[in-house]
Amino acid sequence: MSKAILMIAGDFTEDYETMVPYQFLLGLGYAVHAVCPNKKAGDHVATAIHDFEGDQTYSEKRGHNFALNYDFDQVNTNDYVGLLIPGGRGPEYLRLNRRVLDIVREFNTAGKPIAAVCHGAQILAAAGILKDRTCSAYPACAPEVELAGGKYAEIAIDAAVTDGNLITAPAWPAHPAWLSQFVKALGAEIRI
């Protein structure tokens, strides 16, 4: 399992921020274990579709059912080369799960790449790994990044930022930048 990525998603995870990285990483040859606390392989999480349609914040619509393919209770962080945390509504409640926070801390302590997008920063803040680090997120999460001792990176919605093993972005329009920085942190080399 030397090429496995762990993805932690919860109900109403953002649709694009879950499915696109999942398929992208599979396409590069990584095994991606998609998990959710209190759920097992074969269960699913509901997704939400967030769009930027000119309102003061994003709109939210019901998305798809995303199938989980691994049991959360079986996760051993030693089996993975990286961690991916999608945004959406899931991080609001996932950050209350002690094991989720322990997993994030274990990846961070090991120096393994952690990619979080949008509201995924809520989990990073709750895990206490943002002190003195630069982190991007959806702008509504800026206070949480700063209250956790981090420096909020106010960047374009299609940009991403890397600080050591932490790769973060504001939302799904940043997928090209965010995922390429994550893959680079994983040590993969893509030749065209």
Side-chain angles (χ1 to χ4, degrees), residues 50-132:
H50 294 139
D51 277 320
F52 307 100
E53 301 174 304
D55 299 305
Q56 291 181 332
T57 189
Y58 56 86
S59 63
E60 184 172 74
K61 300 162 190 75
R62 176 69 164 90
H64 302 92
N65 290 330
F66 177 77
L68 303 170
N69 63 2
Y70 200 74
D71 294 356
F72 180 80
D73 293 339
Q74 300 300 313
V75 169
N76 178 340
T77 57
N78 294 322
D79 294 338
Y80 301 97
V81 295
L83 172 64
L84 194 138
I85 304 171
R89 304 300 295 254
E92 292 176 0
Y93 80 90
L94 290 175
R95 65 184 164 169
L96 303 175
N97 183 290
R98 184 178 310 272
R99 180 62 185 136
V100 167
L101 301 182
D102 286 344
I103 287 170
V104 172
R105 290 182 195 115
E106 289 168 21
F107 272 90
N108 191 59
T109 298
K112 294 179 182 181
I114 300 171
V117 64
C118 196
H119 286 72
Q122 292 177 314
I123 294 174
L124 303 178
I129 68 162
L130 293 181
K131 185 163 177 47
D132 300 324

Side-chain angles (χ1 to χ4, degrees), residues 3 15 24 28 35 37 47 49 55 57 62 100 111 126 149 151 159 164 180:
K3 288 179 45 178
D15 194 271
F24 174 79
L28 291 180
V35 300
T47 71
I49 296 171
D55 299 305
T57 189
R62 176 69 164 90
V100 167
K151 178 185 177 216
S180 76

Side-chain angles (χ1 to χ4, degrees), residues 156-178:
I157 198 163
D158 61 352
V161 63
T162 296
D163 184 341
N165 66 320
L166 189 62
I167 303 95
T168 55
W172 59 260
H175 279 345
W178 178 60

